[in-house]
Amino acid sequence: MGDIKRTGSLIIFMMLAVSAWCDSGYKLWLNYKHEENPSLKSQYAFYLSNVEICLNKFKKEITEELERAAAKITETEVIYSKKPSGKMSENGIIYVLDKELRFLGKEGYKIHSSIHNGSRVLFIRSSSDEGLLYATYELIRHMQCNESLDKIDITESPRHTIRLLNHWDNLTGEIERGYAGTTLWNWTKLPQIEERYVDYARANASIGINGIVLNNVNADPRILRRDYLIKIAALANVLRRYNIKIYLSVNFASPMKPSVTPEKWKKWGGIGELDTADPMDKGVTKWWTDKTAEIYALIPDFGGYLVKANSEGMPGPQDYGRSHADGANMLARALKPFNGILMWRTFVYNTDTDPDRAKRPYKEFVELDGKFDDNVILQVKNGPLDFQPLEPVQPIFGAMPHTNIMAELQITQEYLGHSTYLVYLLPMWRHFFNFDTYCRGEGSSVAKFSTGEIYPSKISAIAGVANTGNDENWCGHHFAQANWFAFGRLAWNPDCDDNAITEQWIKMTWNCGAQTLTTIKDIMMPTWESFVKSQTPYALGITCSAKDHFAPDFSKRANKSWKVTSKAIGNERSSHGSGYVSQYFKPNCTMFDNIETCPVEMLLFFHLVDWNYKMKSGKTLREEFFEGLRSNIELSRCNIALWQSLKEQIDERRFDEVSAKLEKQLEASQEYYDNGNRFFSEIADIYPGDE
Ligand code: GCW
């Protein structure tokens, strides 16, 4: 008997040890864990022992999620109340569809506890099924974060109506700028469904994402072929269960016969029968109308199209002497009868437009204000260049009052160290959202603009370029999961509290221990600023290699992306230079124009500055600049030590994997520094430049 007991305990011990070691990060922030605090554990169990869920279209998903959470957090089963609605006589949770809450919008909800018939009841109310789904994740989040439910009183509604992830996944499997394996979409097996799709949908729903663009903006026309559409429809059936719509990136030349596709687009070909993709051609219009109807017949809640046109070699209306508006409206009209939207990217930088690349998107698009149909949204990258570690806000935000505009942020770390560096992007996005555009006078922040507070008639939407792949932990780096999480939470509400988001992520992903919380926050918070100082000091511009956007290549970028001589460094975009500053509203244009009032972190984006320029710190630019270049090395070292201090608090596998990443990051930081330091001290000092 004793032996059996011992063997049993040994097996349990081994299972626990293996599961502790085996935490692969697959569960992300939905990593439900046993609640350590006995009084909270029994409180949660108490509520979960009497749950009444009204009929709604997500009832199955809500039930399953509550059960999954209960099994781990409280280690109990959810018990469902048999009483009819509102008649509950013991502690419990009641889900109510409540039309009075319509003012919270289609996805808003309320969670509040109250004494009801003498019992403590948690009411989850929404005027919509969607709200009940989102509220469930909020409720579970509270449990994961060790918060009491007894006095809970939350009212929420999303500030962007459309909250998207954009996948840059190719049909061939690889992901453009993806650093976490290959695509999640198994095109060979689809329409067969994999469990991973459900987990992907759950993760997104838990942070409020309600749409995904499935494929790369460098779009392969084959995505619109019927065989692919059938596969996509199967995927849509899974995602719909979590309130997620599918959108597709489409290639403007899709209607063309492959044999007539011009040489420059040969890479793609077309999938149609036409000799042209001219948006004014009747055959082209009909092709898109028919194709769109075919999609909606298969996927009735299809979201719409995303288009990259006349950019980096992609076909577009300008190839036929037509404007962006002509191209966008033609597609928007095909989508209109089905309430679909057309997202048209403003990421263009044709050299003929202006010698200063930063000026090009604004120059091409702002003059088209008012010319786009009402279901067209321009998708605008946060900065004027290209997802650099730091750029000023793209001046198109606020400058097109008669056009729908949405921001495109990048979650995947294309220019921010791929999945080798731990860089937490929330502070970068905060910088973006807080910027005051002054488009309607003071207080016209990007957050207000983006959420439709400034132009309320506009569609409010936001997109983040996804950092997911088929790596077991989804994002390549366990800490890159934080960027996916933070993006979703900001898309839901760009004014939410940064500290709260960060703490939630840490508690949900790792554990609620005080040491874990403070140490991980200390690790994450300075990472973006440090990265900027080392790789894009004072918003200088691109410093990495053109090949991979990772390795350092200061010398190749010098005097192409930015200027440097032995006397000065930067970009002259003031009124004495390219005049880019004039694209901003007053007083931003004058603030950026004057070297003394230009925000220091943006100094080299706007000005060519003498190396001996006195900075606010009292040091010269040269001194500060060189110090900054070292910053990633110092932070990497410090973060290695901080992480090591958590050895006892973190499960073994994830601990080791993060340790290995941090070591790699240190090596990469050293290499970057050496390249920059060598270039600036040995070359720039004697560099003649062109002055
Ligand atoms: O920065 C560039 C990237 C391309 C990307 C492009 C874009 C999808 O290097 O890989 O293409 O931006 O945003 O269209």
Side-chain angles (χ1 to χ4, degrees):
M1 189 66 183
D3 272 357
I4 296 176
K5 249 193 182 165
R6 253 198 311 278
T7 318
S9 327
L10 192 65
I11 291 173
I12 292 172
F13 173 79
M14 279 166 61
M15 277 164 61
L16 284 174
V18 167
S19 77
W21 190 84
C22 267
D23 198 334
S24 63
Y26 177 81
K27 292 188 175 160
L28 298 156
W29 48 88
L30 298 178
N31 193 3
Y32 305 141
K33 289 226 175 64
H34 162 75
E35 174 57 66
E36 305 275 354
N37 176 326
S39 76
L40 279 175
K41 187 171 175 176
S42 61
Q43 183 202 94
Y44 301 159
F46 218 38
Y47 283 114
L48 290 166
S49 67
N50 196 12
V51 178
E52 184 191 307
I53 307 178
C54 57
L55 199 62
N56 75 85
K57 68 178 181 214
F58 302 108
K59 187 166 180 180
K60 179 167 176 284
E61 288 69 32
I62 290 174
T63 307
E64 284 171 358
E65 203 64 59
L66 285 177
E67 289 175 2
R68 251 184 234 118
K72 287 281 160 66
I73 301 174
T74 58
E75 296 168 296
T76 57
E77 282 183 7
V78 179
I79 301 170
Y80 299 97
S81 153
K82 303 264 174 328
K83 295 254 165 84
S85 179
K87 294 280 179 324
M88 193 177 274
S89 57
E90 293 153 32
N91 286 20
I93 301 175
I94 305 184
Y95 280 74
V96 186
L97 274 170
D98 181 349
K99 294 292 165 231
E100 306 237 313
L101 291 182
R102 264 200 213 107
F103 69 95
L104 289 177
K106 199 168 172 278
E107 298 169 306
Y109 57 83
K110 236 173 132 44
I111 308 179
H112 64 106
S113 85
S114 78
I115 302 292
H116 186 70
N117 295 340
S119 318
R120 188 163 281 284
V121 174
L122 262 187
F123 282 99
I124 297 194
R125 295 179 192 275
S126 173
S127 66
S128 71
D129 299 349
E130 290 77 7
L132 299 180
L133 177 70
Y134 291 132
T136 303
Y137 284 108
E138 168 101 50
L139 177 72
I140 297 174
R141 187 153 60 230
H142 276 258
M143 296 189 212
Q144 288 176 280
C145 293
N146 273 1
E147 284 158 21
S148 167
L149 303 177
D150 279 349
K151 298 223 165 76
I152 198 166
D153 187 6
I154 296 169
T155 306
E156 277 287 337
S157 62
R159 304 262 309 280
H160 291 102
T161 311
I162 301 172
R163 306 174 297 278
L164 298 179
L165 285 189
N166 287 1
H167 290 271
W168 285 358
D169 294 21
N170 294 327
L171 295 183
T172 46
E174 77 277 10
I175 303 175
E176 184 153 350
R177 311 304 174 189
Y179 313 106
T182 56
T183 184
L184 291 172
W185 326 128
N186 191 336
W187 293 113
T188 328
K189 290 220 178 117
L190 275 165
Q192 205 178 305
I193 292 304
E194 293 176 4
E195 196 50 30
R196 190 160 180 148
Y197 301 146
V198 179
D199 291 328
Y200 167 80
R202 289 174 51 228
N204 278 325
S206 75
I207 52 175
I209 299 291
N210 66 2
I212 63 159
V213 182
L214 214 62
N215 59 318
N216 193 352
V217 287
N218 290 325
D220 185 329
R222 288 177 302 162
I223 194 82
L224 292 178
R225 256 176 21 195
R226 189 162 180 89
D227 52 339
Y228 277 102
L229 294 179
I230 288 166
K231 293 170 191 282
I232 295 165
L235 210 43
N237 291 342
V238 176
L239 299 181
R240 183 179 303 117
R241 288 174 44 202
Y242 290 88
N243 193 39
I244 297 168
K245 283 186 184 180
I246 284 187
Y247 299 72
L248 292 178
S249 292
V250 297
N251 184 302
F252 202 76
S254 301
M256 292 178 81
K257 235 194 294 203
S259 57
V260 301
T261 315
E263 199 48 48
K264 57 180 177 173
W265 305 335
K266 270 283 184 280
K267 181 174 168 202
W268 308 113
I271 56 160
E273 294 299 320
L274 306 180
D275 294 331
T276 177
D278 182 350
M280 295 305 185
D281 181 277
K282 287 219 173 65
V284 171
T285 316
K286 181 169 174 352
W287 191 91
W288 283 108
T289 308
D290 293 348
K291 185 48 84 180
T292 307
E294 182 188 350
I295 296 176
Y296 277 94
L298 289 166
I299 311 168
D301 58 350
F302 178 67
Y305 300 137
L306 169 63
V307 187
K308 170 175 177 177
N310 294 122
S311 164
E312 299 188 328
M314 294 301 285
Q318 291 175 342
D319 294 297
Y320 302 94
R322 316 292 183 193
S323 72
H324 287 291
D326 296 330
N329 292 342
M330 182 270 294
L331 292 171
R333 285 167 201 167
L335 291 157
K336 181 82 177 171
F338 308 99
N339 294 321
I341 60 161
L342 190 273
M343 295 172 282
W344 190 267
R345 294 175 91 227
T346 64
F347 176 66
V348 293
Y349 54 97
N350 188 338
T351 41
D352 302 338
T353 314
D354 194 281
D356 182 359
R357 176 170 167 179
K359 290 171 73 182
R360 296 174 194 159
Y362 182 103
K363 277 181 91 170
E364 275 205 44
F365 279 92
V366 170
E367 64 181 27
L368 296 174
D369 187 29
K371 299 225 160 66
F372 293 95
D373 284 9
D374 62 1
N375 62 332
V376 174
I377 311 182
L378 298 186
Q379 184 170 298
V380 182
K381 286 190 184 182
N382 57 293
L385 292 178
D386 184 13
F387 292 141
Q388 290 307 290
L390 176 62
E391 290 182 51
V393 167
Q394 161 64 260
I396 289 177
F397 291 104
M400 299 180 70
H402 308 293
T403 306
N404 292 308
I405 305 275
M406 68 190 280
E408 177 179 351
L409 306 177
Q410 196 181 41
I411 312 170
T412 189
Q413 292 166 237
E414 177 181 350
Y415 289 98
L416 283 126
H418 299 187
S419 58
T420 299
Y421 281 67
L422 190 171
V423 185
Y424 186 39
L425 302 178
L426 178 61
M428 172 167 89
W429 295 329
R430 174 60 56 220
H431 190 271
F432 169 69
F433 282 119
N434 281 357
F435 179 72
D436 195 342
T437 66
Y438 282 89
C439 65
R440 279 284 177 274
E442 196 175 355
S444 308
S445 68
V446 171
K448 279 195 181 154
F449 172 81
S450 175
T451 54
E453 261 179 72
I454 294 183
Y455 303 117
S457 59
K458 304 274 167 264
I459 307 175
S460 68
I462 186 158
V465 179
N467 64 350
T468 50
N470 70 352
D471 272 6
E472 198 170 356
N473 72 12
W474 303 85
C475 300
H477 195 310
H478 291 289
F479 276 83
Q481 297 176 354
N483 293 328
W484 179 6
F485 181 85
F487 171 78
R489 308 284 286 129
L490 281 177
W492 181 272
N493 177 7
D495 289 324
C496 59
D497 180 57
D498 293 358
N499 191 48
I501 296 182
T502 311
E503 290 200 351
Q504 281 167 1
W505 179 76
I506 297 169
K507 288 178 173 176
M508 294 163 80
T509 307
W510 302 100
N511 59 61
C512 295
Q515 191 195 344
T516 305
L517 190 61
T518 47
T519 310
I520 292 189
K521 250 202 300 184
D522 286 349
I523 289 175
M524 292 165 81
M525 292 319 290
T527 49
W528 171 64
E529 208 184 307
S530 161
F531 195 93
V532 168
K533 284 186 181 161
S534 292
Q535 301 205 7
T536 317
Y538 311 96
L540 175 67
I542 308 181
T543 63
C544 59
S545 117
K547 218 168 66 214
D548 59 6
H549 292 179
F550 180 86
D553 205 346
F554 284 90
S555 65
K556 280 250 175 57
R557 298 296 190 176
N559 293 315
K560 291 196 188 71
S561 299
W562 35 273
K563 284 196 144 205
V564 62
T565 67
S566 53
K567 275 174 56 204
I569 182 164
N571 300 276
E572 201 49 73
R573 295 195 165 102
S574 69
S575 48
H576 311 294
S578 78
Y580 166 73
V581 289
S582 70
Q583 293 185 346
Y584 288 92
F585 289 94
K586 271 192 187 143
N588 286 337
C589 50
T590 42
M591 173 186 71
F592 288 134
D593 199 30
N594 181 342
I595 189 169
E596 294 300 322
T597 54
C598 179
V600 65
E601 75 274 13
M602 292 292 170
L603 193 64
L604 301 185
F605 192 91
F606 288 99
H607 298 278
L608 186 64
V609 184
D610 197 300
W611 282 110
N612 294 320
Y613 179 74
K614 267 264 168 350
M615 304 293 279
K616 300 224 163 60
S617 63
K619 295 181 185 165
T620 62
L621 168 66
R622 182 193 303 264
E623 286 166 331
E624 266 199 17
F625 186 97
F626 276 84
E627 259 173 47
L629 289 183
R630 291 195 58 81
S631 160
N632 259 348
I633 302 183
E634 280 147 18
L635 189 71
S636 301
R637 284 211 182 101
C638 170
N639 281 350
I640 288 173
L642 284 171
W643 185 248
Q644 287 304 321
S645 74
L646 288 177
K647 191 163 174 53
E648 302 307 315
Q649 323 293 324
I650 304 287
D651 40 275
E652 204 176 324
R653 176 166 170 188
R654 290 190 300 170
F655 181 82
D656 289 346
E657 287 174 354
V658 171
S659 300
K661 287 277 185 188
L662 290 173
E663 292 293 343
K664 275 207 162 149
Q665 172 176 335
L666 176 59
E667 248 173 64
S669 304
Q670 183 72 52
E671 197 192 322
Y672 219 97
Y673 171 75
D674 290 345
N675 185 289
N677 189 46
R678 202 177 320 120
F679 172 72
F680 289 114
S681 47
E682 294 171 16
I683 306 177
D685 262 3
I686 51 156
Y687 198 75
D690 50 8
E691 283 187 354

